[in-house]
């Protein structure tokens, strides 16, 4: 399992997860807007540790359908520009992570708005346990990479490493298996070039 050492997911768990998803998720007869590259979304994800401390993971700009959070909840996420002006603010709730250490998490995709590429400078998650701000200078999160099929946009892996060399090595291993894969890297706030990809 993903939280056991060594970190892995075997065929047995993959098969059961896939079987569950094919039984419970409706099949789409029409291609989604993301399949044509029309939907640009900002992927925001993070959570609260078992001690109640909020955290954010690196944000990504992706061609995926928007899936904003249901409004309401004890937590708020804000995107601001360099001068501190608010670009967006949302309230949200988190789900408890099953079989975890007591933490909670969230993941959603906001539709990209004009001007965010040049303006978004920080993200702040706040709630009962305090706040956490992610910006281009903080260095508070590990860089992450999403490895995906460039045609289907199916995610093949999410890679993380505290060191740039370690992440580069993990990316190299993934590309050795399938050189046609696409790798998207984020160190926190998406770079201006990421918005045009």
């Amino acid at each position: 399992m993903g939280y056991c050492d060594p970190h892995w997911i075997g065929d047995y768990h993959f098969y059961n997860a896939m079987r569950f998803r094919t039984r419970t998720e409706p099949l789409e007869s029409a291609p989604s807007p993301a399949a044509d590259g029309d939907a640009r979304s900002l992927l925001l994800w993070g959570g609260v540790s078992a001690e109640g401390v909020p955290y954010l993971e690196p944000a990504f700009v992706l061609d995926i359908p928007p899936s904003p959070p249901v409004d309401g909840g004890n937590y708020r996420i804000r995107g601001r520009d360099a001068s501190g002006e608010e670009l967006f603010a949302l309230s949200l709730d988190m789900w408890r992570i099953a079989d975890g250490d007591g933490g909670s998490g969230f993941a959603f995709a906001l539709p990209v708005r004009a001007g965010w590429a040049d303006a978004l400078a920080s993200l702040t998650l706040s709630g009962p346990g305090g706040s956490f701000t992610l910006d281009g200078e903080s260095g508070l999160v590990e860089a992450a990479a999403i490895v995906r099929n460039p045609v289907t946009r199916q995610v093949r892996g999410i890679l993380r490493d505290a060191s740039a060399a370690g992440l580069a090595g993990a990316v190299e291993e993934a590309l050795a298996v399938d050189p046609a894969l696409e790798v998207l890297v984020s160190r926190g706030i998406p770079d201006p070039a990421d918005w045009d990809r």
Side-chain angles (χ1 to χ4, degrees), residues 9 11-22 24:
I9 295 182
D11 295 344
Y12 171 81
H13 300 293
F14 178 82
Y15 170 76
N16 285 326
M18 183 61 74
R19 183 171 44 112
F20 173 80
R21 290 187 68 184
T22 57
T24 60

Side-chain angles (χ1 to χ4, degrees), residues 66-83:
S67 61
V70 176
D71 195 28
N74 295 328
Y75 298 92
R76 193 151 182 85
I77 189 163
R78 291 181 172 87
R80 293 189 172 98
D81 65 14
S83 66

Side-chain angles (χ1 to χ4, degrees), residues 91-106:
S91 61
L92 63 126
D93 205 359
M94 297 188 201
W95 67 87
R96 174 97 34 223
I97 299 172
D99 296 326
D101 61 1
S104 299
F106 70 91

Side-chain angles (χ1 to χ4, degrees), residues 2-189:
Y3 54 83
C4 298
D5 282 325
H7 296 290
W8 62 277
I9 295 182
D11 295 344
Y12 171 81
H13 300 293
F14 178 82
Y15 170 76
N16 285 326
M18 183 61 74
R19 183 171 44 112
F20 173 80
R21 290 187 68 184
T22 57
R23 288 182 182 170
T24 60
E25 295 178 8
L27 293 175
E28 293 185 28
S29 57
S32 70
D36 297 329
D38 296 335
R40 303 289 290 159
S41 296
L42 179 65
L43 175 65
L44 301 173
W45 51 313
V48 175
S49 70
E51 295 77 29
V53 179
Y55 64 90
L56 288 168
E57 301 289 357
F60 288 87
V61 178
L62 300 169
D63 294 326
I64 57 174
S67 61
V70 176
D71 195 28
N74 295 328
Y75 298 92
R76 193 151 182 85
I77 189 163
R78 291 181 172 87
R80 293 189 172 98
D81 65 14
S83 66
E85 185 176 330
E86 199 169 85
L87 300 173
F88 62 85
L90 302 156
S91 61
L92 63 126
D93 205 359
M94 297 188 201
W95 67 87
R96 174 97 34 223
I97 299 172
D99 296 326
D101 61 1
S104 299
F106 70 91
F108 58 86
L110 293 181
V112 168
R113 303 288 183 234
W116 284 5
D118 297 324
L120 185 62
S122 69
L123 297 165
T124 301
L125 174 64
S126 57
S131 68
F132 180 90
T133 298
L134 178 63
D135 59 34
E137 305 300 320
S138 65
L140 296 175
V141 298
E142 296 178 350
I146 293 178
V147 180
R148 68 181 186 172
N149 180 308
V151 176
T152 65
R153 295 190 173 95
Q154 178 187 29
V155 173
R156 301 288 301 273
I158 298 175
L159 309 174
R160 305 180 56 113
D161 201 291
S163 72
L167 184 61
V171 166
E172 190 175 307
E173 284 180 32
L175 292 177
V177 173
D178 185 352
L181 294 174
E182 175 182 39
V183 178
L184 310 171
V185 177
S186 177
R187 289 170 180 76
I189 302 295

